Amino acid sequence: MSVSTSSRPSAFQAWMLAIRPKTLPAGAMPVVIGSALAFANGAFRPLPALVALVCALGIQIATNFINEIYDFRKGADTAERLGPTRTVAAGIITEQTMTRVSITLGVSVFALGMYLVAIGGWPILLIGVLSLLFAWAYTGGPFPIAYSGLGDVFVFIFFGLVAVGGTYFVQALSLPFPVLVAAAAPGAFSVCILLVNNIRDIDTDRKVGKMTLPARIGAPAARALYVALTVLAYLVPFYMLNAGYSAWCLLSLLSIPLAIGMVRMLYASEGRALNAVLAGTGKVLAVHGVLFSVGLVIPNIISIFRP
């Protein structure tokens, strides 16, 4: 698969394709939610929160870059691909350049993350090392996670429990159980994004032995799992209410119509049409996360201005 000279994107456009901006809410929202939880519990620290956000986005982008390299090597990105253009497979960015940039980004994230290690100690170091290892092992190494059908489990763990819990921990230096329950919401939506991507690519993935979860269980079951995870995400605010948080956290329920729209589109779409569902699921994650976070912080903001 290659791109003709006349249609070749600019350098900026090429790197934006590789970064995959529409999927970045999966990296940003867990940090926002973790920070909102810290604020709600009187433990918010802006600098650690900002550094955690930069590190989370850096790891996600590095994962995307490494994914391009290894899917190209394994022949997973071909002319039959229905998703957005992959820059390495299309010859827009060379494999060597992508490798150098991926290594540089990984080293930079690790160096920046040492600030968080200084605050949170060895648990944060372990999280950082495992996150970078996951970025590589997702499609790299002798047993790539994405090719085994376990990618969804690891996405839930790292884009949910680890990201939210780690963000909270570097600010509060503790990790109450409700924080991990709250982490299930962005984790579930992140898996939904991956499910849509892999439902779209079932046929091409199977041809190269990339046995993602949808490739293993089939599109109908993968769509049903998308619905179940969406329901799980919307049960989280009710748990938080029961755990003693303000009813304002139910503000996230205002995103339900958008989520229902995505479910309908998922069941009505095939092939390239699923790209819109993928982007839309990212929007659901972002809208739900923002509303949930706003609901968490509103009570403390009100108390600041209360006479």
Side-chain angles (χ1 to χ4, degrees), residues 11-292:
F12 175 78
Q13 291 171 327
W15 284 107
M16 290 305 290
L17 279 172
I19 288 171
R20 310 178 197 177
K22 291 180 180 179
T23 66
L24 292 186
M29 290 318 305
V31 178
V32 173
I33 292 171
S35 297
L37 286 162
F39 188 91
N41 293 339
F44 177 67
R45 298 179 62 185
L47 186 55
L50 177 60
V51 173
L53 177 62
V54 173
C55 287
L57 291 176
I59 290 172
Q60 185 183 2
I61 292 170
T63 304
N64 291 342
F65 289 173
I66 295 168
N67 176 253
E68 287 224 14
I69 295 167
Y70 282 97
D71 274 355
F72 169 68
R73 291 179 182 176
K74 298 174 188 295
D77 289 336
T78 67
E80 298 179 357
R81 176 179 169 78
L82 300 175
T85 300
R86 292 294 177 249
T87 59
V88 175
I92 300 170
I93 298 174
T94 67
E95 181 185 347
Q96 294 76 15
T97 298
M98 188 65 82
T99 300
R100 288 197 302 270
V101 172
S102 299
I103 292 172
T104 301
L105 181 57
V107 171
S108 300
V109 168
F110 184 81
L112 182 61
M114 293 308 294
Y115 166 73
L116 300 178
V117 172
I119 296 172
W122 70 264
I124 300 302
L125 177 61
L126 180 62
I127 286 175
V129 171
L130 289 177
S131 296
L132 289 171
L133 181 62
F134 168 72
W136 167 73
Y138 185 72
T139 48
F143 305 104
I145 295 168
Y147 287 65
S148 67
L150 295 174
D152 308 79
V153 175
F154 280 83
V155 164
F156 182 83
I157 292 171
F158 282 93
F159 286 87
L161 306 182
V162 170
V164 175
T167 299
Y168 185 91
F169 186 81
V170 296
Q171 297 177 63
L173 298 181
S174 64
L175 191 58
F177 182 71
V179 171
L180 295 178
V181 175
F189 282 127
S190 295
V191 174
C192 286
I193 292 173
L194 181 61
L195 284 172
V196 176
N197 182 81
N198 292 338
I199 290 170
R200 181 198 63 209
D201 295 339
I202 284 177
D203 292 338
T204 53
D205 284 345
R206 284 174 174 168
K207 288 180 181 179
V208 297
K210 186 176 182 179
M211 297 305 292
T212 62
L213 184 60
R216 291 177 181 275
I217 67 176
R223 284 182 165 92
L225 180 57
Y226 179 106
V227 174
L229 288 169
T230 299
V231 172
L232 171 64
Y234 282 102
L235 290 177
V236 167
F238 291 101
Y239 171 86
M240 301 302 288
L241 180 63
N242 186 62
Y245 287 82
S246 167
W248 280 105
C249 64
L250 298 180
L251 199 63
S252 57
L253 301 183
L254 293 176
S255 62
I256 287 178
L258 182 59
I260 292 174
M262 286 305 106
V263 169
R264 288 175 175 169
M265 283 183 63
L266 177 65
Y267 275 87
S269 303
E270 297 288 348
R272 285 190 174 86
L274 287 168
N275 291 331
V277 183
L278 191 153
T281 305
K283 290 179 182 177
V284 175
L285 167 58
V287 174
H288 178 281
V290 168
L291 290 174
F292 185 47

